[in-house]
Amino acid sequence: MSDIKMTIIDRDGQRHEVDAPTDMNMNVMEVCKAYDLPVQAVCGGMAMCATCQCYIISDHDLGERNDDEEAMLWEAQNVKDNSRLGCQIPITEDLEGLVIELAPEE
């Protein structure tokens, strides 16, 4: 089993360094929920809400947003250039050291 370390900054500015498995087909939103961080994920990871929006703080290249993610972020609040939906970011070894910040709830 191989894990990566990532840092999640919650809405109070608190940093959580967590281990995320690369071999369980998880995404960033599911890791947040696994650590009881306040991510609603209303749609269950289908890119149909924006309650798992986060800001990518570290310098990782996550590729382009897909069309569904782009459409959701177009309608969401508090969107920045580095906004992504956590449910659309699969946990891979390339994400070692990833730092994200949870977007404010609407």
Side-chain angles (χ1 to χ4, degrees):
M1 182 163 122
S2 96
D3 288 358
I4 60 161
K5 290 231 180 288
M6 60 182 280
T7 301
I8 302 165
I9 304 168
D10 68 22
R11 295 186 183 95
D12 298 323
Q14 179 121 19
R15 296 173 74 92
H16 304 266
E17 196 169 281
V18 302
D19 293 318
T22 58
D23 59 352
M24 291 178 61
N25 202 22
M26 288 178 82
N27 59 48
V28 166
M29 173 272 288
E30 291 165 330
V31 171
C32 290
K33 289 188 78 67
Y35 283 93
D36 289 328
L37 291 164
V39 172
Q40 283 186 306
V42 171
C43 75
M46 306 295 290
M48 294 172 66
C49 67
T51 57
C52 65
Q53 181 190 174
C54 59
Y55 306 127
I56 308 303
I57 306 299
S58 54
D59 215 7
H60 289 75
D61 179 10
L62 302 179
E64 295 293 308
R65 298 173 182 154
N66 67 36
D67 290 345
D68 291 339
E69 184 177 15
E70 199 69 68
M72 276 320 311
L73 288 171
W74 177 256
E75 298 173 21
Q77 306 289 315
N78 306 303
V79 175
K80 300 180 183 178
D81 288 343
N82 61 342
S83 287
R84 293 297 297 259
L85 297 182
C87 69
Q88 299 300 298
I89 306 171
I91 300 296
T92 63
E93 289 175 8
D94 298 345
L95 296 188
E96 175 66 44
L98 180 72
V99 180
I100 66 162
E101 179 179 357
L102 301 182
E105 291 188 279
E106 311 204 14

